[in-house]
Amino acid sequence: VTMFEIYGGRCSDLLHDRAPVTIREDGAGKVQTVGLTPVRCDDEGALIAAVEAGNDSRTTHATAMNEVSSRSHAICEVMTTDDAGNDVGSLTLIDLAGSERVADRSSHNRQRRMESAEINKSLLALKECIR
């Protein structure tokens, strides 16, 4: 399993002390995450523990709507292998940062307002990618 966050234009490995991660596209057009280190999970308990540890490492802040609001996008990939160690498949889970309406952000300080604007901008970019 791997898990990283995108926050403020930077990527961090949530399972390895927030080590920097670089996202690039290779010559074949495949996205590569440089600096992201997988954690081996041999059973369901280890997988749940890894996902919980990654989630606990995410960037969060109190907002007007939520005491502990995720301020980053998190990407968790679970890769499966057969007994010979060959890749069999993968499952990618994405948890998007919380967005808020402008009216709900009026009591935020400058940093929270800028953060919220960045989150909303990235959500709009994602919407365009999906479209």
Side-chain angles (χ1 to χ4, degrees):
V1 64
T2 60
M3 192 166 180
F4 69 99
E5 77 172 357
I6 303 170
Y7 173 70
R10 294 191 178 102
C11 300
S12 304
D13 189 329
L14 294 174
L15 300 177
H16 292 93
D17 298 320
R18 306 183 59 75
V21 173
T22 304
I23 299 175
R24 299 184 181 139
E25 187 175 337
D26 65 16
K30 185 176 180 194
V31 174
Q32 302 292 330
T33 48
V34 179
L36 190 60
T37 306
V39 171
R40 182 177 176 86
C41 298
D42 292 319
D43 58 32
E44 178 184 342
L47 174 61
I48 290 170
V51 172
E52 287 176 347
N55 197 46
D56 289 345
S57 296
R58 285 182 71 183
T59 302
T60 61
H61 294 290
T63 67
M65 297 298 291
N66 191 345
E67 281 290 314
V68 183
S69 178
S70 61
R71 309 312 289 163
S72 66
H73 304 310
I75 296 88
C76 176
E77 185 172 19
V78 179
M79 294 145 295
T80 57
T81 58
D82 60 17
D83 292 336
N86 300 313
D87 290 339
V88 175
S90 67
L91 171 68
T92 303
L93 305 168
I94 301 170
D95 183 25
L96 299 174
S99 65
E100 296 177 350
R101 298 175 306 156
V102 173
D104 295 333
R105 298 189 315 227
S106 60
S107 65
H108 291 177
N109 63 26
R110 184 176 190 278
Q111 182 179 353
R112 283 296 87 70
R113 286 193 308 270
M114 290 177 60
E115 191 177 69
S116 293
E118 185 68 28
I119 289 168
N120 287 340
K121 185 170 83 172
S122 66
L123 290 172
L124 285 172
L126 176 61
K127 176 183 163 188
E128 289 305 310
C129 290
I130 293 169
R131 184 179 297 170

